[in-house]
Amino acid sequence: MTPTRSSLRPLLRANLLATLRNPMALVYGWLFPLLFLVGFWALYGDDPVPLALHAGQFFTITILGSAAFGLPTQMVGERETGLWRHYALAPAPRWRFVVALVLARAALLAGALLLLHWTARALGMPPLPHPVSTTLALMVAALCFLCIGALIGTLAPNVPAVQALGQCLFLPMLIIGGVAVPLASLPGWALPLSNLLPGRHAVVAIQTAVTGTGTRAAGFELLALTGHGLLALLAAVILFRWEPDAGLRPGRRGWLIVPVLAAWLALAGLAAQLARPVPAPPDRASAGTPATYVRPTAATVLPQAPRPAIIRAVPSPATPAAMAAGIPTPAVPAVAAEPAVPASVDLDRIAFERLPPDAGLVAPIAAEPPDPVLESALARIRRQLESWPPAREGDARQQVQTLLLIAAVPDLLQMDPLERHLPALVEAELRQRIPATVLPNLLAQIALDPQGGSVAARSQLPAIGLPAHAGPEAPLRGRVMLYAFKLLGRVTGRRVGDPPAPAGSD
Amino acid sequence: MIEVSGLTRRRGPNLVVDGLSFSVSHGEIVGLIGVNGAGKTSALECLAGLARADGGEVRIAGLAPGSTAARAITGTLLQHPGLPGRLCVAETLDLFARLHGIRPSPHLVEALGLDALARQRVDALSGGQRQRLALAIALQPAPAVLLLDEPATALDPAMRRDLRGLIEEARTGGAAILMATHDLAEATSLCDRVLLLSAGRLVAAGRPADLIAAAGAPSRITLTTARPLPGERDDTMVIETRDVIAALTALLPRLAGVPVVALHVTGAGLAEVVLAAAELDGTRCT
């Protein structure tokens, strides 16, 4: 076994042992991120889904802290004590000492991220819908920031300087980089600046993997992170020094710093041009109750639907809203042989115009066709839906309600832009699976009795590539109700798209 | 084995090594001596590949210093060796051994008294224990070239004796050994040759005895009697002379009837040689 081939493993082992025996590394690397997580949990306790909407933020803070402080502190500390000089005497390629250090720090970081994930799950965050995409996003973000940390370690002459340089990176990203303060809350002047910082790309990439359609939709962010990481690594290599007192003497390749800086500026400019729109602020709007969307007068009545064979239902206690609308008692799953199917629905008593606009934040429905990337994601969901057991369980009402979850959960999680296209997918599935004569009644039953039926299938959504929903059922049932109303309007032709804006309005 | 020709190194505007030339053969121990700032450590750093020479040429077994191949055959003890504080002694030895593609040497561990410290963390070691660990790291690859910078620093007398045994063992094994030291008694007894540096320049080189003789420094006779000799105020006399026999012969008649309590004769040593060189260069001796 030559020293060259065998050197990385013992170095990695030694670095891991040294890191795990360093109480401060564990406090800053593992304990602080957990405290941040609990802070997010306490701050955003009224989120419709616990923690999921902030996963990009708390994962990025953990990576940033470990990379901007932990790695360079260790680098500078070892260089100051002369350990690197001692290593440099050994007949192993010298880059391996730094690579082993970075890998050990990456392992510590991986442990922190796993710990964070498990704790977030324990606090109610739903399972990850795209574990591979999430892992990829976390890895790219971690490597990017570790490269930046290596650059800090190269630039800083001593440990106090690491703190100063690290804060120069950490604080701007926390405050105006979309990491701690959400992009939606930033003032207009700060948004262009956020494009210069990789923190924004990390948050978007991780968030898209956790509550979006996976990293395919965050291709630019992953590329930007890779670019930032590579440029930082290149600068660190050019300025690298073994000796604590060597000073910043770039040597013969020093001129390379100029193109590196130019490339970084170009990358930042490109990010400013190509950055996706700022996400909407957190959607915590209440969906209201069925009574919100029902008028006291009646006019048109749907013809009685023929009784489909699949329906097995018995009457459930009538809700006040249903009684007010003159709608027969909705049915709930049961074993009764002869179901009581609602005979008719008074559509005129449903105030479709009071529903939130399709172009709005709550229960949106896209007016335009999806772009190719989204179409590919939608096609994948459609394929997986064919063999998704929950969509075939229970009676017809339950099946409709389960399919509505596919639109309601992404709406709560603000999976923009996917959330706006899923209602059309659900509508198409409903039209294909449920007879047209039955569908309006079933939608009306769900809309007018949102507390009926089960939403247990919310936990099985990852099987079709969507995030699961956890936490209280009420916000979810509210969104199911809204989509039931909206799709009822679409299948009956009462409300297809937003009504035209009144003349003179903006 | 070690070939140095016209080695020059600058630190900022200062020339810390100035045209140094020498060689060290297989099985030879050469000492680098001189006052602080004479350029001993700077020269060793160039040989170990830790610093780039500003001029001249250095070859280790024909290889460029600092190349992977040169590092593979060189064992180096730095003046202030950095050690991984959070590893224990056994783990540290194992790490550095594996970097050389070998296993730790139990013989060395025992010889340097590290077996009892195997499970102790490095950051809990005393200065002497750290030095022993660093020595073991330098010696364990059984290197063909050994560069030692102040190897006896912080070692107790017993460990100095053991260190001397280990260095002699390495010489017997054919290693070329270059040792920078302030321990001039050790250099006198251990080194085949010494190189005297002053202000970065090589001012003298040769066998220790030859250097001492060439320096012509006086020997010192210290005589203590039961009472002051006639004509003396004190009962202790110090006589510096280049001819000890003649001085003692002249002293004997004066001792008639006065009991001698103690007599010490100290020969001139490398210390005098170093001091003389420093005085010539006007550098401070510490």
Side-chain angles (χ1 to χ4, degrees):
Chain A
M1 194 160 50
T2 66
T4 302
R5 265 214 310 270
S6 62
S7 58
L8 193 56
R9 198 184 303 169
L11 280 167
L12 185 56
R13 180 175 174 272
N15 273 297
L16 278 173
L17 283 174
T19 305
L20 292 173
R21 288 173 186 168
N22 180 358
M24 294 314 287
L26 298 183
V27 166
Y28 284 111
W30 287 357
L31 184 61
F32 271 31
L34 286 180
L35 294 177
F36 263 111
L37 179 71
V38 173
F40 269 100
W41 181 67
L43 269 176
Y44 300 107
D46 58 340
D47 271 3
V49 187
L51 292 169
L53 291 169
H54 302 282
Q57 290 173 277
F58 60 73
F59 279 130
T60 301
I61 287 176
T62 302
I63 294 170
L64 198 49
S66 186
F69 295 107
L71 175 65
T73 300
Q74 194 175 352
M75 280 177 72
V76 174
E78 290 188 357
R79 192 172 59 210
E80 276 188 316
T81 57
L83 180 58
W84 281 16
R85 295 184 91 218
H86 208 168
Y87 280 153
L89 298 169
R94 290 176 174 176
W95 58 265
R96 293 199 178 193
F97 304 117
V98 185
V99 168
L101 183 66
V102 173
L103 287 180
R105 182 55 61 165
L108 182 78
L109 185 52
L113 294 173
L114 274 176
L115 194 61
L116 213 57
H117 174 246
W118 291 330
T119 311
R121 291 279 291 116
L123 291 174
M125 190 177 85
L128 299 172
H130 309 288
V132 175
S133 282
T134 309
T135 307
L136 176 68
L138 290 171
M139 278 176 61
V140 172
L143 288 175
C144 168
F145 286 114
L146 284 170
C147 290
I148 292 172
L151 177 58
I152 293 175
T154 300
L155 291 172
N158 48 48
V159 172
V162 169
Q163 298 302 318
L165 277 172
Q167 294 292 2
C168 288
L169 178 77
F170 194 64
L171 289 178
M173 279 206 238
L174 283 190
I175 297 166
I176 59 166
V179 177
V181 180
L183 289 170
S185 307
L186 290 180
W189 61 265
L191 286 171
L193 293 178
S194 70
N195 283 311
L196 305 176
L197 303 167
R200 170 180 177 152
H201 306 309
V203 171
V204 172
I206 296 168
Q207 194 63 53
T208 306
V210 174
T211 58
T213 54
T215 43
R216 276 187 207 182
F220 173 75
E221 281 75 15
L222 292 179
L223 277 177
L225 285 171
T226 307
H228 276 288
L230 284 176
L231 290 173
L233 183 63
L234 195 54
V237 168
I238 292 168
L239 299 170
F240 189 78
R241 54 203 166 127
W242 289 100
E243 306 281 339
D245 56 351
L248 275 182
R249 289 195 294 266
R252 283 174 293 183
R253 294 173 301 174
W255 61 272
L256 285 171
I257 283 295
V258 177
V260 168
L261 279 174
W264 178 74
L265 284 174
L267 179 64
L270 193 66
Q273 294 294 317
L274 300 180
R276 63 177 68 199
V278 174
D283 172 8
R284 299 193 184 93
S286 165
T289 63
T292 314
Y293 308 104
V294 171
R295 272 191 290 271
T297 55
T300 308
V301 174
L302 278 177
Q304 183 176 354
R307 188 176 300 162
I310 57 169
I311 291 180
R312 292 286 184 274
V314 292
S316 66
T319 63
M323 287 190 292
I327 292 171
T329 305
V332 293
V335 292
E338 287 301 316
V341 178
S344 60
V345 174
D346 185 351
L347 286 177
D348 281 347
R349 299 190 69 183
I350 296 177
F352 288 108
E353 73 283 359
R354 292 183 197 162
L355 288 168
D358 288 356
L361 186 63
V362 178
I365 299 178
E368 74 287 351
D371 62 30
V373 174
L374 270 178
E375 181 49 54
S376 153
L378 290 166
R380 204 166 52 247
I381 294 170
R382 212 175 284 124
R383 275 198 307 277
Q384 288 165 326
L385 200 48
E386 286 170 14
S387 56
W388 192 45
R392 303 195 180 282
E393 286 168 4
D395 61 19
R397 182 197 191 279
Q398 182 59 58
Q399 290 177 15
V400 173
Q401 186 161 329
T402 297
L403 285 171
L404 287 171
L405 293 175
I406 294 169
V409 169
D411 174 36
L412 275 178
L413 290 170
Q414 291 181 278
M415 292 175 63
D416 192 46
L418 185 71
E419 59 168 325
R420 296 185 295 115
H421 292 278
L422 283 169
L425 182 149
V426 171
E427 182 186 346
E429 286 292 324
L430 288 173
R431 284 180 188 274
Q432 187 188 330
R433 293 173 185 226
I434 310 291
T437 48
V438 181
L439 184 57
N441 277 330
L442 296 175
L443 286 169
Q445 287 175 31
I446 294 165
L448 295 167
D449 180 23
Q451 301 310 315
S454 165
V455 290
R458 63 182 178 154
S459 64
Q460 297 179 55
L461 286 170
I464 54 171
L466 292 173
H469 181 271
E473 289 183 0
L476 181 60
R477 287 184 180 275
R479 299 304 163 105
V480 168
M481 174 195 74
L482 287 179
Y483 276 119
F485 272 127
K486 284 196 166 187
L487 294 191
L488 177 62
R490 290 169 79 93
V491 298
T492 58
R494 290 303 185 101
R495 186 184 191 273
V496 181
D498 286 336
S505 66
D506 291 333
Chain B
M1 200 66 181
I2 301 173
E3 297 288 339
V4 179
S5 171
L7 174 65
T8 302
R9 186 181 168 197
R10 290 183 177 280
R11 248 188 230 277
N14 302 324
L15 206 55
V16 291
V17 180
D18 186 0
L20 187 60
S21 297
F22 64 89
S23 63
V24 184
S25 308
H26 287 284
E28 188 181 25
I29 302 177
V30 174
L32 270 180
I33 59 173
V35 296
N36 289 343
K40 305 184 295 293
T41 297
S42 296
L44 274 180
E45 285 177 346
C46 290
L47 267 67
L50 289 176
R52 194 180 295 165
D54 294 303
E57 193 177 16
V58 176
R59 282 284 178 267
I60 305 288
L63 302 162
S67 62
T68 306
R71 281 182 276 153
I73 58 165
T74 307
T76 306
L77 172 72
L78 298 171
Q79 197 171 17
H80 303 291
L83 295 166
R86 290 194 175 83
L87 298 190
C88 67
V89 168
E91 289 165 344
T92 305
L93 285 170
D94 185 65
L95 168 65
F96 280 91
R98 284 173 188 275
L99 292 179
H100 277 271
I102 58 168
R103 299 276 178 186
S105 154
H107 161 66
L108 260 180
V109 170
E110 194 183 335
L112 286 165
L114 292 171
D115 41 356
L117 303 170
R119 294 288 143 212
Q120 196 157 327
R121 266 175 59 161
V122 171
D123 52 13
L125 297 179
S126 70
Q129 289 168 335
R130 287 176 67 91
Q131 184 75 355
R132 280 149 58 189
L133 176 58
L135 269 168
I137 290 170
L139 291 169
Q140 66 180 357
V145 173
L146 199 49
L147 305 174
L148 304 172
D149 197 352
E150 301 292 353
T153 300
L155 297 184
D156 58 38
M159 197 46 68
R160 281 177 188 237
R161 183 198 58 212
D162 294 344
L163 168 68
R164 182 192 171 94
L166 287 169
I167 292 174
E168 283 179 337
E169 196 176 295
R171 169 167 57 186
T172 308
I177 302 167
L178 182 63
M179 179 172 80
T181 183
H182 282 300
D183 187 342
L184 299 175
E186 194 74 7
T188 306
S189 60
L190 192 60
C191 294
D192 301 306
R193 285 186 296 132
V194 289
L195 309 172
L196 175 59
L197 301 190
S198 181
R201 291 190 305 276
L202 180 63
V203 294
R207 293 191 309 127
D210 293 344
L211 283 186
I212 294 163
S219 297
R220 175 177 295 191
I221 300 168
T222 308
L223 175 70
T224 305
T225 48
R227 58 179 184 272
L229 293 181
E232 301 291 334
R233 264 188 278 167
D234 207 349
D235 55 3
T236 297
M237 294 173 63
V238 178
I239 302 166
E240 288 194 339
T241 175
R242 287 191 171 77
D243 190 343
V244 175
I245 301 298
L248 284 176
T249 306
L251 198 59
L252 279 174
R254 298 175 64 191
L255 286 173
V258 181
V260 173
V261 177
L263 174 68
H264 294 287
V265 180
T266 312
L270 281 175
E272 285 71 24
V273 178
V274 171
L275 282 171
E279 280 163 14
L280 273 177
D281 256 348
T283 50
R284 188 173 62 89
C285 178
T286 56

